[in-house]
Every structure is written in C-alpha cells, then in structure tokens.
Amino acid sequence: MDQQKKKNRTAAFVAVFMGSFVAILVANMFRDNPEEKLTDMVTEINKECPVKVDRVTTLDSTVFEKDPLSIEYYYTLDVANNKVNLKEAKNRLEVNAQKGLDTDNSMEVFRKHNVELNYNYSDGEGNKLFDFSIKHK
C-alpha cells in the first residue's frame, strides 16, 4: 500500500475512532439533562488525556460548552518529523467525522440533541494548524 493510501486510512480511522469513542461514552447518558451528562462525559475523557490516537495524533483535552451545546476537542499533530499535507488531512478528517456523525448508530445521541462537535488541531509547539466544526445535516 502506498504512503498516501496509508495516510488516508489513518485520517479516516482517527475521525471514526474519536467519534465512536465519545459516542459510546455518552450513549446512555442523555436521559434527563444533556448538559450535565456532557459535562460528566468530558470530565471522564479528560481523566485519560493525553491519549495517543495514532503515531502522529494525540487527543489533549475536551471542553463542554452549553451555548451552543457543543464539545471542543483539542488535538496535537506531530508534524515536525512527518510529512503531513495539512489541507488534505483537514479535509479527510472533516469528511470522515461528518460521515460518522450523520450515519453511525452510536452517534444518535449527538444528532438527537443537535450537539456541535468542534475539532482543533495544533502542532507540538501549540501553534494552530487547523480546525473545523460539524453538526448533523
């Protein structure tokens, strides 16, 4: 498999993995108060952070926002020693995250409560690389 295909698959895996990870944690939490449950979910995720997602991606932290109802994900990409096409990486991550949100059964709670998911990527020095936001279409 050539390098580009590996990168594409890695980007797809990262988006699906993180979306599924969060969805599984929250799947049974939305009963009465989605704000309280999202706060609890973010707290639990942050206890495990930083989490190495793949060889170049680390989930550093998550933040819950009430208005609008959203979750912020903060990632670090190790781009110093890796040739990463940031425009392509952003596009693939966004497309795959949106697809997961719109179609994955485990993401139903986010669709039901119209939760916005915001992804923020920085390099190892804390410099912003890119960000994107998704909502169920």
Side-chain angles (χ1 to χ4, degrees):
M1 182 180 307
D2 68 6
Q3 234 10 29
Q4 190 58 43
K5 286 184 181 178
K6 285 183 181 178
K7 287 180 184 178
N8 293 346
R9 287 189 179 175
T10 298
F13 171 77
V14 170
V16 171
F17 171 78
M18 290 316 300
S20 296
F21 176 70
V22 171
I24 289 168
L25 287 175
V26 80
N28 293 316
M29 297 175 109
F30 280 109
R31 297 203 179 146
D32 300 328
N33 184 344
E35 292 176 4
E36 181 181 318
K37 302 307 180 185
L38 282 170
T39 299
D40 292 345
M41 181 202 68
V42 164
T43 299
E44 289 303 311
I45 291 172
N46 285 335
K47 286 180 184 177
E48 302 300 319
C49 287
V51 175
K52 192 80 167 162
V53 177
D54 62 27
R55 68 179 184 81
V56 298
T57 310
T58 302
L59 174 61
D60 299 308
S61 66
T62 59
V63 176
F64 168 67
E65 298 289 339
K66 290 182 182 181
D67 189 19
L69 198 60
S70 63
I71 298 175
E72 298 278 339
Y73 297 96
Y74 293 94
Y75 290 94
T76 298
L77 288 180
D78 179 12
V79 294
N81 298 317
N82 296 288
K83 293 181 180 181
V84 176
N85 179 326
L86 295 178
K87 184 176 179 180
E88 184 177 308
K90 177 186 177 194
N91 182 54
R92 293 203 183 281
L93 287 165
E94 187 171 4
V95 166
N96 289 324
Q98 186 69 58
K99 181 180 178 184
L101 177 60
D102 291 339
T103 62
D104 193 305
N105 289 338
S106 65
M107 301 296 278
E108 176 62 31
V109 292
F110 293 103
R111 294 190 294 267
K112 178 180 176 184
H113 294 283
N114 204 30
V115 177
E116 182 176 40
L117 304 177
N118 304 307
Y119 296 85
N120 303 279
Y121 290 84
S122 299
D123 66 15
E125 302 296 316
N127 301 307
K128 181 179 173 180
L129 298 173
F130 59 85
D131 60 16
F132 61 88
S133 296
I134 61 171
K135 267 188 138 174
H136 177 57
K137 291 183 178 182

